[in-house]
Amino acid sequence: MGGVLTVGVQTLPNLDPAKAHDGPSLLAVTAIHAGLYRTMKNGRPGLQLLREVPRALKGGNGKRWRCKLRKGLHFHNGKLIKARDVRDSLERLVNTPHRWLRRFMQVTVIDTETFVIELSHAIALRELAHLLATPALSVLSRN
C-alpha cells in the first residue's frame, strides 16, 4: 500500500462512507477508508481488515458469522482499530441512504478483535463477502 492517488472531479466528493453514493465520492471513499473486505481488481471481494474469512456459527443457519480483525491495525490518528469501531460504524448508518444495511445486520462485540454479525436472513459466505465490501461499511474511528 501507499503512494499517491490523483483524481480529477468537478465537485468535491463526499468523503463520509455513509453518505457517499455517486461515482467520485465512492472512488474517494474506497481510496481513503478501509473496510472489512474490499473489491479487488478482478471484481471479487478480498480480505482487508479481517484476519480470516468469517465463520458461520453453529445453529446460526447462515445468519450469524464470527469475524476477527487483523492484529495491530491503526487508524490514521494512531488509534488501534477495534471491534467496537466496526459496530459503531454500522450503527451510524441509521439516518443515511444506507440505513437498509443497519436494519439488515447487527454487530455484537465479543472482545477487542472479535465480533459477530447477525443478519436478518441467511446468506452464503460469498454473499456476505460482497456485502462487507460495500464502501458504506468502511470502518471509521470513533473520534
Side-chain angles (χ1 to χ4, degrees):
M1 295 216 191
V4 176
L5 171 68
T6 304
V7 179
V9 294
Q10 292 182 343
T11 59
L12 185 63
N14 192 327
L15 301 180
D16 182 345
K19 297 177 183 170
H21 57 82
D22 60 279
S25 295
L26 290 170
L27 180 63
V29 163
T30 56
I32 295 170
H33 300 291
L36 300 174
Y37 274 82
R38 67 178 170 173
T39 303
M40 307 301 282
K41 290 180 182 179
N42 63 7
R44 293 185 177 148
L47 295 175
Q48 189 166 24
L49 296 180
L50 292 177
R51 181 185 327 171
E52 58 193 30
V53 173
R55 296 182 186 195
L57 294 178
K58 291 183 181 180
N61 299 324
K63 292 182 182 180
R64 299 183 73 227
W65 298 85
R66 180 183 160 275
C67 303
K68 284 192 98 44
L69 292 171
R70 290 173 43 204
K71 291 180 184 259
L73 293 177
H74 293 82
F75 289 107
H76 69 284
N77 60 7
K79 182 177 167 273
L80 189 66
I81 298 175
K82 298 179 180 177
R84 70 178 183 204
D85 296 310
V86 175
R87 180 198 60 211
D88 294 347
S89 294
L90 176 66
E91 288 179 354
R92 67 185 293 276
L93 298 177
V94 171
N95 295 314
T96 73
H98 302 286
R99 62 185 164 273
W100 64 272
L101 287 168
R102 177 67 177 89
R103 285 180 286 192
F104 179 63
M105 70 171 62
Q106 301 279 336
V107 174
T108 302
V109 174
I110 305 301
D111 59 38
T112 57
E113 297 173 351
T114 311
F115 57 96
V116 172
I117 295 174
E118 187 162 355
L119 305 168
S120 60
H121 63 275
I123 61 175
L125 177 59
R126 182 176 178 193
E127 292 173 289
L128 179 65
H130 280 283
L131 177 67
L132 296 180
T134 303
L137 292 178
S138 296
V139 180
L140 303 180
S141 175
R142 293 180 79 180
N143 299 331

